Amino acid sequence: LDSGDAGSLRSVFQDHHEADVAQVLAALRPQDTLEALRLLEIDVRATLFGYLPPKIQTAVARHMSRRELADIVSAMSHDERADLFKKLDEKERKTLLPALAQAEREDLRKLASYPEGTAGSVMTSDYAALTPDLEVSKALSELRIQAPDSETIYQVFVVDGERRLLGAVSLRDLLLARPGERVGDLMTTTVPRIAADQPREEAARLIARYDLMALPVTDDAGKLVGIVTHDDAMDVQAEEATEDFHRVGTVRNLDASVSEASIFMLYRARIAWLVLLVFGNVFSGLGIAYFEDTIAAHVVLVFFLPLLIGSGGNAGSQSATLMVRALATGDVRFSDWGFVIGREVLVAGLLGFTMALAVSPLGLLRGGVDVALVVAAAMVLIVLMGGLIGISLPFILARFGLDSATASGPLVTSIADAAGVVIYFSIATAVLPFAVTS
Amino acid sequence: LDSGDAGSLRSVFQDHHEADVAQVLAALRPQDTLEALRLLEIDVRATLFGYLPPKIQTAVARHMSRRELADIVSAMSHDERADLFKKLDEKERKTLLPALAQAEREDLRKLASYPEGTAGSVMTSDYAALTPDLEVSKALSELRIQAPDSETIYQVFVVDGERRLLGAVSLRDLLLARPGERVGDLMTTTVPRIAADQPREEAARLIARYDLMALPVTDDAGKLVGIVTHDDAMDVQAEEATEDFHRVGTVRNLDASVSEASIFMLYRARIAWLVLLVFGNVFSGLGIAYFEDTIAAHVVLVFFLPLLIGSGGNAGSQSATLMVRALATGDVRFSDWGFVIGREVLVAGLLGFTMALAVSPLGLLRGGVDVALVVAAAMVLIVLMGGLIGISLPFILARFGLDSATASGPLVTSIADAAGVVIYFSIATAVLPFAVTS
């Protein structure tokens, strides 16, 4: 490959999938990647270029002539070229646009205009569409014409003269229909659809729920403006899961993959929550300070502190994790909070009781009957409280319009810790005699 | 719908997607669901039945006659009927099997035989296949014949006389080809494939990476035994993400969705880790007990305990979360551990330094210069240590063949806590004079 001759590159290309070739090209210097791309026909070149990571795309684009970039942009699929366009700086955009045909220019501007995170931002405008009055034979020849410029011709959308979405018909149904039938008779009208300004994860959810190949995206007037395809939905689903994962681990949005993130990016994504949580922990410290006399009188109590407040935090992390994911996948809805919290009282109560049994022997061993009772009672209450904080926090956050995934394990733990300290030492102060020092 | 007459059900059906109708039917009593299904044609009935949740499917199946069940099973897609078959008990299977045609019986047994979690367990055997010598026009009429019984005819696999996988051809390419061309000339041979015994998440990863509609599954001899379709891959991807989410939140595999899980199921999924972690916390307690004299001499130190060990646990949770997800998505590979850990030393070092600056004023305020120095030094070391534990544990677990997602926040926190106690009080014991009590 490094010798760069056309023959050997083409043979590599024949033996490997475009995605794999692109991965190899991405590791070269941008000018070498460009040299290699130049040896290929424009369609293949555009496909390969589309598989390159965004960063590499822009780096390679910077080595292209204006004409060269315009050619590859014209040949790319509409959503991929819009993504590239968004990554270019103002000057580069201004150089590129005049080199494109008017229709492409407008399409590019339009697609790039949808805010990140919306269905519009992940849709593509190169869909196949038919009118309802077409006969099947005509429809099939029309699809052959649309095929080279369409992302998919397997799911075809039916629109009226003003591009309003009327229904959908699959290529399978067209192939199996009698030639005289009309598209309008074959189409199904119960087509799931989404508005362009809805969240992109909702588009992915609809595609998963209805097993779709492509989801039509409409504007306010019900006009078809694009489609979200199954492969893009899969990427969205994975990216949203990663974001939630990070959020639950108190890592704020990292603008790169973990493997590519710089030290500073990682630092920035992590520091805010760490500092915030440390001041949350001050409340635990204040709680401990408040009970300093009890602690001084019974230093043995400190031994049980980590395992009691740890258990509250752990039970809380468990229920928060369950809720955050269930809310994200749509398994549990906001309106289910009553049922879910009621069930948690029973589950966490049982968990707390089991945990109290598990630690009582330790209490007896190190502190005698009194301490064992204090520890057991505190354990039941702390686990119950932790579970309830963990299960409620995602709902409370959602209620105030925040992302429920912000109810991270560490946030729940930090709140549960402070509450745990108060519960534990309150019980201890009430039960244990003050005169006795252990 | 509850009146159950065919006309009104059909009209409901025309206005709604099958998945939505199935959701309504799933809420009825099994015998009512069956009554409603009986009003529909067999193909529609099978589709709707396939959309019902597994639990409801078996409940409804129990009300069917043997003939009725055999009919619906014959009409279902092959992967869905295999899933249903796996859910039936031994007696029900023995009743069903003789009512099926020989080929269906064998197909069902074969598909149901792949262990859960493998590519084989999520594949379907109703794929479309062609031989390489077919001319395009013949291939198209052959596909029309295969269409009603195929999950997809858009991605067609090319096999030899012994069903060995030779390549793949898309319906789009067949439609655009000249009638005289042969399938063998049109097919691409760089087809990603997977062995039936590979993990199902690997199948989903390949489908996402190569933007596939269907991934062929082969046996040891390279023969095509089934395909995994894009919609099933999306479900697998979501389920695997949920499993990892739960594992990171120390919830063991829950055999139901969170909304459907019983109190006992939730209890069982959570108790093991809670108990395990509480005994992990005993080490923190022992650490504290070991330094009882230092604590008794400087009770003020206890105030800083939660925020110091909390910060170590939080930094560890962050890096563990980043690694678990990056390893699961393939963003980071096992072999990258050297680079990743090296980078973490720098990131966690910076984080620790910032955190030390943030808490020093508090140290000064409550304990004076000596305590502030002890707290600051402990903070740098504890955050660094937490970050390193969090980043290394997923690799260490993977090294020993365990799931890296077991490196949960709570497990990392529990280890970091114990280490944090030792670091903090060791520094304090070394630096602070023993005579002075605060």
Side-chain angles (χ1 to χ4, degrees):
Chain A
L1 198 67
D2 50 4
S3 75
D5 62 300
S8 73
L9 185 67
R10 287 212 190 91
S11 85
V12 166
F13 194 73
Q14 258 163 14
D15 294 343
H16 296 88
H17 193 281
E18 289 96 329
D20 296 325
V21 182
Q23 193 177 23
V24 174
L25 290 184
L28 304 178
R29 290 183 312 159
Q31 49 270 51
D32 292 340
T33 306
L34 180 56
E35 286 295 332
L37 286 174
R38 279 184 182 142
L39 300 170
L40 300 161
E41 283 163 43
I42 181 70
D43 284 349
V44 183
R45 198 190 308 162
T47 307
L48 260 185
F49 188 73
Y51 270 112
L52 294 173
K55 247 186 177 170
I56 312 284
Q57 278 187 4
T58 47
V60 173
R62 268 168 208 141
H63 286 85
M64 289 182 187
S65 73
R66 179 178 162 171
R67 187 66 264 149
E68 211 171 6
L69 180 58
D71 285 346
I72 213 164
V73 162
S74 301
M76 286 172 81
S77 76
H78 294 196
D79 52 343
E80 285 178 357
R81 74 186 186 194
D83 290 340
L84 170 64
F85 187 71
K86 285 187 257 183
K87 295 272 180 333
L88 297 178
D89 61 36
E90 200 53 43
K91 209 184 119 212
E92 290 163 329
R93 291 184 192 186
K94 282 212 174 115
T95 319
L96 171 64
L97 283 176
L100 296 173
Q102 162 117 29
E104 282 178 344
R105 207 152 60 214
E106 276 168 17
D107 176 78
L108 199 50
R109 275 218 194 94
K110 188 85 203 288
L111 278 184
S113 72
Y114 293 95
E116 280 306 308
T118 61
S121 74
V122 291
M123 77 184 182
T124 190
S125 55
D126 42 359
Y127 53 84
L130 297 170
T131 48
D133 52 300
L134 273 184
E135 285 184 6
V136 165
S137 52
K138 286 260 174 61
L140 284 173
S141 21
E142 172 61 28
L143 280 184
R144 280 199 191 88
I145 297 169
Q146 294 190 20
D149 298 319
S150 296
E151 183 88 14
T152 179
I153 55 165
Y154 304 134
Q155 189 65 40
V156 184
F157 298 97
V158 186
V159 293
D160 66 11
E162 283 166 343
R163 291 244 145 215
R164 273 189 299 256
L165 181 65
L166 303 175
V169 63
S170 69
L171 181 56
R172 182 201 292 242
D173 288 342
L174 286 174
L175 278 181
L176 294 179
R178 276 163 293 125
E181 283 187 273
R182 282 175 200 282
V183 168
D185 304 326
L186 291 169
M187 72 180 184
T188 99
T189 52
T190 60
V191 184
R193 64 192 71 190
I194 193 167
D197 58 358
Q198 288 298 100
R200 61 177 197 162
E201 57 266 39
E202 181 59 24
R205 262 197 293 268
L206 289 172
I207 287 174
R209 174 173 166 85
Y210 297 109
D211 296 338
L212 304 175
M213 263 185 306
L215 175 74
V217 183
T218 51
D219 66 10
D220 295 340
K223 285 184 193 172
L224 184 60
V225 290
I227 57 170
V228 179
T229 53
H230 63 89
D231 49 326
D232 291 333
M234 210 167 165
D235 294 342
V236 166
Q237 184 181 268
E239 282 169 26
E240 290 291 330
T242 299
E243 274 180 23
D244 280 356
F245 239 91
H246 289 176
R247 226 167 265 147
V248 162
T250 62
V251 177
R252 288 169 63 197
N253 34 332
L254 200 62
D255 291 329
S257 68
V258 170
S259 62
E260 287 170 350
S262 69
I263 289 172
F264 178 67
M265 290 168 87
L266 285 165
Y267 173 82
R268 205 179 41 188
R270 294 170 62 174
I271 190 64
W273 268 109
L274 277 188
V275 170
L276 220 72
L277 289 168
V278 92
F279 288 106
N281 286 332
V282 168
F283 289 102
S284 303
L286 286 174
I288 293 175
Y290 180 82
F291 291 103
E292 233 169 50
D293 294 342
T294 308
I295 296 170
H298 308 274
V299 180
V300 65
L301 290 175
V302 183
F303 171 79
F304 295 97
L305 188 60
L307 57 87
L308 283 171
I309 66 175
S311 299
N314 292 338
S317 287
Q318 287 182 330
S319 34
T321 310
L322 285 169
M323 267 319 102
V324 166
R325 183 64 184 163
L327 285 168
T329 56
D331 176 28
V332 167
R333 281 154 206 275
F334 182 75
S335 54
D336 297 333
W337 67 269
F339 161 71
V340 168
I341 291 173
R343 189 178 57 174
E344 179 68 16
V345 171
L346 295 171
V347 175
L350 276 175
L351 290 172
F353 193 71
T354 313
M355 299 289 285
L357 283 179
V359 296
S360 310
L362 218 58
L364 271 176
L365 202 73
R366 291 194 70 100
V369 177
D370 285 0
V371 169
L373 281 175
V374 168
V375 168
M379 183 61 100
V380 174
L381 285 177
I382 286 174
V383 169
L384 183 60
M385 174 272 314
L388 285 176
I389 291 173
I391 210 105
S392 318
L393 200 58
F395 287 104
I396 294 172
L397 290 169
R399 176 72 189 76
F400 288 101
L402 295 166
D403 192 315
S404 59
T406 309
S408 58
L411 180 61
V412 168
T413 300
S414 156
I415 300 175
D417 279 2
V421 165
V422 174
I423 292 176
Y424 177 35
F425 290 125
S426 298
I427 296 176
T429 308
V431 171
L432 299 181
F434 231 89
V436 181
T437 53
S438 61
Chain B
L1 198 68
D2 50 5
S3 75
D5 62 297
S8 73
L9 185 67
R10 285 209 192 93
S11 85
V12 165
F13 194 73
Q14 258 162 14
D15 294 344
H16 296 87
H17 192 281
E18 289 97 328
D20 296 324
V21 182
Q23 194 177 23
V24 174
L25 290 183
L28 302 178
R29 291 184 312 159
Q31 50 270 52
D32 293 340
T33 307
L34 181 56
E35 285 296 333
L37 286 174
R38 279 183 182 143
L39 300 170
L40 299 162
E41 283 164 42
I42 181 69
D43 284 351
V44 183
R45 197 189 309 161
T47 308
L48 261 185
F49 188 74
Y51 269 112
L52 293 173
K55 247 184 174 170
I56 312 283
Q57 278 187 3
T58 48
V60 173
R62 268 168 208 140
H63 286 85
M64 289 182 189
S65 73
R66 178 179 163 169
R67 186 68 266 146
E68 212 172 6
L69 180 58
D71 285 346
I72 213 165
V73 162
S74 301
M76 287 172 81
S77 75
H78 293 197
D79 52 343
E80 285 177 357
R81 74 186 189 195
D83 290 340
L84 170 63
F85 186 73
K86 285 186 256 182
K87 295 274 181 328
L88 296 178
D89 61 37
E90 200 53 43
K91 208 184 118 212
E92 289 162 331
R93 291 184 192 186
K94 283 214 174 112
T95 319
L96 172 64
L97 282 177
L100 296 173
Q102 161 119 28
E104 282 178 344
R105 206 152 61 215
E106 277 168 16
D107 176 76
L108 200 50
R109 276 218 194 95
K110 188 86 203 287
L111 277 185
S113 71
Y114 293 96
E116 279 306 307
T118 61
S121 73
V122 291
M123 76 183 182
T124 189
S125 55
D126 42 359
Y127 53 84
L130 297 170
T131 47
D133 53 300
L134 274 184
E135 284 184 8
V136 165
S137 53
K138 285 259 174 64
L140 284 173
S141 22
E142 173 62 27
L143 280 184
R144 281 201 189 85
I145 297 168
Q146 295 189 19
D149 298 320
S150 296
E151 184 88 13
T152 179
I153 56 164
Y154 303 135
Q155 189 65 41
V156 185
F157 297 97
V158 186
V159 294
D160 66 12
E162 283 168 341
R163 291 243 145 215
R164 274 189 298 255
L165 181 64
L166 303 174
V169 62
S170 70
L171 181 56
R172 182 200 291 242
D173 288 342
L174 286 173
L175 278 181
L176 294 179
R178 276 163 292 127
E181 284 187 273
R182 282 173 200 285
V183 168
D185 304 326
L186 291 169
M187 73 180 183
T188 98
T189 52
T190 60
V191 185
R193 63 190 73 190
I194 193 168
D197 57 358
Q198 288 298 101
R200 61 178 197 161
E201 59 266 39
E202 181 60 24
R205 260 198 293 268
L206 289 173
I207 286 174
R209 173 172 167 86
Y210 297 108
D211 296 337
L212 304 175
M213 264 185 305
L215 175 74
V217 183
T218 51
D219 66 8
D220 295 340
K223 285 185 192 169
L224 184 61
V225 290
I227 58 170
V228 178
T229 54
H230 64 89
D231 49 325
D232 292 333
M234 212 168 163
D235 294 342
V236 166
Q237 184 181 269
E239 283 168 26
E240 290 290 330
T242 299
E243 274 179 24
D244 279 356
F245 239 91
H246 288 177
R247 225 167 267 149
V248 163
T250 62
V251 178
R252 289 168 62 195
N253 35 332
L254 201 61
D255 291 329
S257 68
V258 170
S259 62
E260 287 170 350
S262 69
I263 289 172
F264 178 66
M265 289 168 89
L266 285 166
Y267 173 82
R268 205 179 39 186
R270 295 169 61 174
I271 190 65
W273 268 109
L274 276 189
V275 170
L276 220 71
L277 289 168
V278 92
F279 288 107
N281 286 332
V282 169
F283 290 102
S284 303
L286 286 175
I288 293 176
Y290 180 82
F291 291 102
E292 234 167 51
D293 294 342
T294 309
I295 297 170
H298 307 274
V299 180
V300 64
L301 290 175
V302 182
F303 170 81
F304 295 98
L305 188 61
L307 57 86
L308 283 172
I309 67 177
S311 298
N314 292 339
S317 288
Q318 287 182 329
S319 33
T321 310
L322 285 170
M323 267 319 102
V324 166
R325 182 66 184 162
L327 285 168
T329 56
D331 175 28
V332 168
R333 283 155 203 276
F334 182 75
S335 54
D336 297 333
W337 68 269
F339 161 70
V340 167
I341 291 175
R343 189 178 58 175
E344 179 69 16
V345 171
L346 294 171
V347 175
L350 275 175
L351 290 171
F353 193 72
T354 313
M355 298 290 284
L357 284 179
V359 297
S360 309
L362 217 59
L364 271 177
L365 201 73
R366 290 195 71 99
V369 178
D370 285 359
V371 169
L373 281 175
V374 168
V375 169
M379 183 61 99
V380 174
L381 284 176
I382 287 173
V383 169
L384 183 60
M385 173 272 314
L388 285 177
I389 291 173
I391 210 105
S392 319
L393 200 57
F395 287 104
I396 295 172
L397 291 168
R399 176 71 190 75
F400 289 102
L402 295 165
D403 192 316
S404 59
T406 309
S408 59
L411 180 60
V412 167
T413 300
S414 155
I415 300 175
D417 279 2
V421 166
V422 173
I423 292 175
Y424 178 34
F425 290 125
S426 297
I427 296 177
T429 309
V431 172
L432 298 181
F434 232 90
V436 180
T437 52
S438 61

